[in-house]
Amino acid sequence: MLKKKVAFICVHNSCRSQIAEALGRYLASDVFESYSAGTETKPEINQDAVRLMKEIYGIDMEKEQYSKLIGDIPNPDIAISMGCDVGCPYIGRDFDDNWGLSDPTGQSDEIFREIISEIENNILKLKEKLG
């Protein structure tokens, strides 16, 4: 059976969507393929996110991931917005879901950990739904 391609989208593709891509690969690669992208890119992934993902899961996001545009990833079967608090990007189609996560950039580690935990829970729910 062909695995569904899930794209996690936010504006800059440097924090929440990158965390979702990493956790999707880590927790659900047996059920779906994970990608992340944005309508703009950043020169690097958010360094707080990189540090905390290494601390919590032992995942080095910089090893296989980088900030990319929507056109740089395969056409997704499912597109999920991380949260539109900064204005939802238009990706050429409607989003299948909006996780409504606030951007933790510049916030405390505690806030980051809460967002990472929410993303983990959402990934596990999506895995169950698609599995």
Side-chain angles (χ1 to χ4, degrees), residues 14 16 19 24 33 50 53 64 72 74 86 88 95 101 117 123:
S14 66
R16 292 166 294 174
I19 292 167
E33 294 176 21
V50 169
M53 288 294 285
E64 295 183 354
D72 298 336
V86 288
C88 238
F95 285 103
L101 302 166
S117 178
I123 293 284

Side-chain angles (χ1 to χ4, degrees), residues 95-112:
F95 285 103
D96 296 290
D97 200 358
N98 175 2
W99 286 357
L101 302 166
S102 55
D103 186 355
T105 301
Q107 308 278 332
S108 68
D109 280 6
E110 187 182 342
I111 302 279
F112 256 93

Side-chain angles (χ1 to χ4, degrees), residues 1 8 11 18 21 30 35 37 44 46 50 52 55 61 63-64 67 72 74 84 87 92 103 107 113 116 120 126:
M1 189 178 106
F8 302 101
V11 175
Q18 292 284 353
E21 177 182 353
D30 56 328
Y35 300 91
E44 66 179 8
N46 181 295
V50 169
L52 288 167
E55 251 176 54
M61 291 198 301
K63 200 169 155 190
E64 295 183 354
S67 186
D72 298 336
C84 293
D103 186 355
Q107 308 278 332
R113 286 176 182 277
I116 290 169
E120 179 181 340
L126 184 62

Side-chain angles (χ1 to χ4, degrees), residues 22-70:
L23 286 176
R25 288 179 178 191
Y26 184 67
L27 299 168
S29 61
D30 56 328
V31 175
F32 59 83
E33 294 176 21
S34 296
Y35 300 91
S36 67
T39 47
E40 301 169 26
T41 59
K42 290 273 188 179
E44 66 179 8
I45 299 173
N46 181 295
Q47 292 300 290
D48 289 321
V50 169
R51 176 176 53 81
L52 288 167
M53 288 294 285
K54 272 184 195 161
E55 251 176 54
I56 300 166
Y57 303 98
I59 296 172
D60 182 356
M61 291 198 301
E62 291 181 308
K63 200 169 155 190
E64 295 183 354
Q65 293 174 226
Y66 58 93
S67 186
K68 32 201 180 307
L69 296 170
I70 291 152

